[in-house]
């Protein structure tokens, strides 16, 4: 029997094509998506799905070659970001045909970050294309935009997998698709105790929750009313996943020459997003978590749509089978 699904789609560049596979599996299993919230690539795929335009987008991206992608990226020499990507967003805008969030058949929220006020912003009305463009502006990589005087960048800075915006919609299951899992091994929702039986340190997580309330609390309900979030330092649980590694560091070697500065930035962004995701999900865990490994492809591998869609399907099938859905 099909269930009503509230869906949170995470940030992660080209890995976000896996969201398409996840949506395909959910539909094939007879479930109904009743709410979608997305950050960055999750906002792009989620917005297209909510507007009923995902099939057209999928047909386009599955035919892109690496050369096509580089032609679309439009490198930027004027500051603000290395890539304007207006050709890509122009094509997405054509596919969306002026769709408005409030007119979508499925309630949709795109999450962005207001850099000036250091707060999370939820787009729940207005053009889908504008909301998506704000949400995918990866700092230093994709140029940011200004909406109503607010300098907006990638929502993954504060909410890599936005579960909270779906809470207002009645559903049977909350499904989250995270693109920040550990290297091909999966990411724990909560820290686990080292040694012994590896049981979840639920009490330790709960004790941390109030210290990161600004980080894991709800966001804004629109651009104008976005509340500011103050952030405190968080101490890791001793012996838990994500706790600091200890090294004597007797010397060092330079980073490999083939490792581009953009790749270093992307890995740094993914590392930060994985930590934020872990703490936010500890406070508000989904019923079904689909974890896409962060090394499944590079952030800018937008020519690998077919591969990532297939991976998204495989991982979603597995997650639903394990959850009995």
């Amino acid at each position: 029997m099909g269930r009503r699904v509230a869906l949170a789609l995470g940030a992660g560049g080209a890995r976000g094509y896996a969201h398409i596979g996840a949506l395909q599996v959910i539909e094939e299993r007879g479930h109904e998506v009743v709410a979608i919230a997305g950050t960055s690539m999750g906002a792009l795929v989620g917005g297209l799905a909510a507007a009923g335009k995902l099939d057209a987008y999928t047909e386009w991206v599955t035919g892109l070659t690496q050369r096509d992608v580089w032609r679309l990226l439009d490198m930027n020499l004027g500051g603000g970001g290395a890539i304007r990507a207006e050709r890509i967003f122009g094509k997405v805008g054509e596919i969306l045909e002026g769709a408005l969030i409030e007119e979508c058949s499925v309630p949709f929220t795109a999450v962005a970050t207001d850099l000036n006020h250091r707060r999370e912003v939820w787009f729940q009305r207005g053009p889908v294309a504008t909301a998506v463009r704000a949400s995918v502006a990866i700092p230093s990589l994709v140029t940011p935009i200004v909406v109503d005087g607010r300098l907006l960048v990638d929502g993954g800075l504060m909410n890599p997998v936005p579960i909270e915006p779906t809470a207002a919609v009645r559903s049977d299951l909350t499904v989250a698709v995270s693109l920040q899992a550990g290297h091909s091994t999966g990411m724990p929702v909560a820290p686990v105790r080292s040694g012994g039986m590896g049981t979840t340190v639920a009490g330790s997580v709960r004790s941390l929750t109030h210290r990161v309330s600004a980080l894991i609390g709800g966001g804004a309900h629109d651009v104008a009313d976005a509340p500011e979030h103050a952030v405190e330092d968080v101490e890791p649980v001793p012996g838990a996943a994500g706790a600091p590694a200890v090294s004597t560091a007797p010397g060092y070697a330079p980073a490999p020459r083939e490792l581009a500065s953009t790749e270093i930035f992307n890995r740094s962004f993914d590392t930060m997003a994985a930590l934020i995701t872990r703490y936010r999900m500890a406070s508000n865990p989904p019923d079904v978590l689909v974890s896409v490994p962060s090394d499944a492809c590079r952030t800018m591998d937008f020519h690998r749509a077919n591969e990532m869609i297939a991976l998204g399907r495989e991982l979603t099938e597995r997650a639903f089978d394990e959850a009995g859905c």
Side-chain angles (χ1 to χ4, degrees):
M1 179 179 177
R3 302 188 188 183
R4 294 167 57 87
V5 172
L7 185 60
L9 302 177
R15 296 192 301 278
Y17 287 138
H19 296 319
I20 299 174
L23 280 156
Q24 290 174 350
V25 169
I26 290 171
E27 180 181 356
E28 289 167 6
R29 292 197 171 213
H31 302 307
E32 177 189 4
V33 176
V34 296
I36 302 175
T39 291
S40 196
M41 191 65 174
L44 192 155
V45 173
L48 287 157
K53 306 292 185 179
L54 187 57
D55 288 346
Y57 175 77
T58 302
E59 182 179 356
W60 174 53
V61 296
T62 51
L64 292 177
T65 65
Q66 190 169 27
R67 178 173 292 183
D68 293 332
V69 171
W70 282 113
R71 287 174 176 170
L72 288 165
L73 287 181
D74 320 281
M75 304 307 292
N76 177 42
L77 300 177
I83 298 168
R84 287 190 301 268
E86 294 306 324
R87 294 174 186 172
I88 293 176
F89 296 120
K91 179 63 176 181
V92 171
E94 289 179 17
I95 293 172
L96 283 167
E97 298 180 312
L100 299 175
I101 296 174
E102 56 268 36
E103 295 177 359
C104 288
S105 58
V106 177
F108 170 66
T109 302
V111 177
T113 300
D114 181 343
L115 273 188
N116 292 335
H117 297 92
R118 301 181 181 182
R119 59 190 177 185
E120 186 176 324
V121 176
W122 294 2
F123 283 90
Q124 294 182 323
R125 60 174 181 264
V128 176
T130 299
V132 168
R133 178 64 180 86
S135 185
V136 302
I138 303 172
S140 298
L141 188 60
V142 179
T143 53
I145 64 170
V146 177
V147 177
D148 292 337
R150 290 168 169 80
L151 183 63
L152 300 177
V153 297
D154 199 300
L157 282 174
M158 300 192 74
N159 200 345
V161 186
I163 295 174
E164 297 86 357
T166 68
V169 179
R170 184 175 63 85
S171 63
D172 302 315
L173 288 175
T174 298
V175 177
V177 184
S178 171
L179 308 179
Q180 307 298 338
H183 289 249
S184 304
T185 59
M187 181 190 68
V189 174
V192 294
R193 192 184 306 278
S194 62
M197 299 299 292
T199 55
T200 300
V201 192
S204 297
V205 172
R206 284 191 291 269
S207 70
L208 284 173
T209 301
H210 73 281
R211 301 190 62 191
V212 289
S213 58
L215 186 61
I216 61 178
H221 291 283
D222 54 48
V223 172
D225 300 327
E228 187 165 353
H229 295 266
V231 181
E232 290 187 40
D233 292 332
V234 180
E235 297 178 6
V237 179
V246 179
S247 174
T248 56
Y252 69 90
R257 289 183 179 272
E258 66 272 15
L259 194 60
S261 58
T262 53
E263 182 63 17
I264 292 173
F265 175 82
N266 290 334
R267 292 188 190 184
S268 301
F269 191 91
D270 286 344
T271 299
M272 177 194 70
L275 177 63
I276 295 172
T277 299
R278 184 156 59 242
Y279 282 118
R280 294 193 78 137
M281 284 193 184
S283 172
N284 192 17
D287 298 301
V288 179
L289 174 61
V290 180
S291 295
V292 179
S294 60
D295 61 348
C297 75
R298 293 178 299 181
T299 300
M300 302 303 293
D301 282 350
F302 289 105
H303 59 290
R304 297 173 64 182
N306 287 296
E307 179 184 344
M308 289 300 102
I309 292 171
L311 179 62
R313 290 183 58 87
E314 176 188 344
L315 295 174
T316 303
E317 292 276 11
R318 185 186 308 167
F320 270 72
D321 286 344
E322 290 175 355
C325 302

